[in-house]
Amino acid sequence: MGTAVEGGRSGPRYVQIADEIVRQIRAGVLKPGDMVPSESELVERYGVSGGTIRKAMVEVRASGLVETRHGKGSIVKDRPPVRHRSSDRFRRSHRQGGKAAYLAESARSGATAKVSVLYIGPMEAPEDAARRLGVPAGTQVLARRRLYFRNGTPVETATSYLPWDVVKEIPELFAENPGGGGIYARLEDHGHEFAEFVETLQARPASKVEASELALSPGAPVVHLIREARTTAGLVVEVCDTLMAADQFVFEYRISAAD
C-alpha cells in the first residue's frame, strides 16, 4: 500500500496517480480492452481517499486513452497508432497524382482512410472564416463538412468555407466526390493556382459535442487548426476549420533556413 501523501514536489497526489496510470497504458501494462482498476482497488493500492482517486481518473480520461462505460468503469481504448501530419501534404504532385492530402498522407503511413461527407451546401460565413476570406460576416459561402476516419476510428473533422463567387462556376465542388486530387485540384483546374497554405494551431480540451463526434472522453485534448489556402493572385479561396484528436497526430514541419 502506498502512503497517503496528497501533494509533493512533483505535483498533487492525484496528478501523480493519473500519470502512473497513463504510463501503464502507454507501456502496454494496461492493454486495449483492459479495465482500469476500480476506485476501491486504487484507494487500496495508493492509500489515498476516494476523492483523490476520482480526481486522478478525471485526468486519465482527459488523456483520451480510456472511456467510461456506465455501470462497468473505465476501459482502455483501442485506438490506432499516431500518424504524422507533415508539411508536404499539400504538394501539387499529390493532387496531380489524383490524391487529396488526407488520403495521400494516410496511404504513406499504411493506414486505411475513409472520409464521410456530413454536409455540402450554402451557409452564412462564420465571423472568423468571413474575416479570413475577406467578406462580411454572414455572406453566403459554400460549406463542405467532413468526418475523417483512420482504420475505422474517427480522428478528425473539417469544414471548408469557400467564396460563392469562386465556386459557383465549379460544379464538382458541390459533389460529394469532387474527383481525383480533391477540391484543391478542382480549384487549380479552374485557374486558382496555389501559392501557399497558412495554418494556425491551438491545443485545447474537447467540448462534450466534439468528444462525442471523435469518440473521445469529455475534456480529452484536441488540436484546433485553421488553414487558409492562398493563391498566386493573393486571394484566400478556402478557409478550413479542422479539429483533430491530439493523440492521433504528430506534426512535422520543414522550415527553410535560406534567405
Side-chain angles (χ1 to χ4, degrees):
M1 182 185 298
T3 57
V5 177
E6 300 291 320
R9 289 185 179 179
S10 57
R13 184 63 172 138
Y14 73 88
V15 173
Q16 298 170 17
I17 294 169
D19 287 346
E20 183 172 327
I21 294 171
V22 167
R23 283 197 298 271
Q24 290 175 357
I25 294 171
R26 294 194 186 281
V29 177
L30 288 171
K31 297 178 174 58
D34 285 353
M35 299 300 300
V36 175
S38 67
E39 180 181 316
S40 60
E41 290 173 317
L42 293 173
V43 165
E44 176 68 19
R45 177 181 299 177
Y46 292 105
V48 296
S49 67
T52 297
I53 294 302
R54 287 189 288 275
K55 287 182 179 180
M57 288 309 300
V58 169
E59 298 295 318
V60 174
R61 286 191 290 273
S63 73
L65 297 174
V66 304
E67 61 181 336
T68 301
R69 297 182 179 176
H70 183 68
K72 292 186 177 181
S74 295
I75 187 170
V76 179
K77 285 185 178 181
D78 183 11
R79 294 186 67 79
V82 167
R83 73 178 179 89
H84 285 273
R85 189 177 178 93
S86 64
S87 58
D88 67 350
R89 65 191 181 280
F90 295 121
R91 288 172 58 185
R92 185 167 288 107
S93 59
H94 294 324
R95 295 192 292 280
Q96 292 173 342
K99 286 187 176 180
Y102 180 78
L103 298 178
E105 190 170 46
S106 295
R108 288 200 305 276
S109 69
T112 300
K114 176 187 173 185
V115 182
S116 178
V117 176
L118 305 179
Y119 175 79
I120 301 174
M123 180 181 288
E124 292 185 358
E127 185 175 348
D128 183 64
R131 178 181 59 79
R132 294 172 185 271
L133 290 170
V135 299
T139 298
Q140 179 175 285
V141 295
L142 174 66
R144 295 180 58 93
R145 179 164 173 76
R146 293 92 66 200
L147 177 61
Y148 294 86
F149 295 82
R150 185 177 191 270
N151 296 339
T153 298
V155 296
E156 176 180 340
T157 64
T159 302
S160 291
Y161 302 100
L162 301 105
W164 197 263
D165 286 346
V166 169
V167 303
K168 65 183 181 181
E169 304 298 335
I170 311 176
E172 297 95 332
L173 296 183
F174 292 80
E176 184 170 318
N177 181 358
I183 65 174
Y184 290 161
R186 300 293 77 75
L187 285 162
E188 287 199 314
D189 287 346
H190 287 76
H192 302 285
E193 182 179 351
F194 291 108
E196 63 178 357
F197 300 90
V198 179
E199 295 185 335
T200 303
L201 296 86
Q202 179 184 18
R204 60 171 174 78
S207 69
K208 187 176 293 186
V209 171
E210 292 166 345
S212 176
E213 195 165 38
L214 291 174
L216 300 170
S217 297
V222 291
V223 175
H224 186 197
L225 182 150
I226 305 291
R227 180 173 63 254
E228 298 177 17
R230 299 178 179 176
T231 70
T232 54
L235 298 176
V236 175
V237 294
E238 184 222 27
V239 171
C240 188
D241 190 325
T242 303
L243 194 75
M244 290 165 283
D247 66 334
Q248 292 302 293
F249 296 89
V250 171
F251 294 85
E252 180 182 281
Y253 293 100
R254 291 187 179 91
I255 301 173
S256 175
D259 292 338

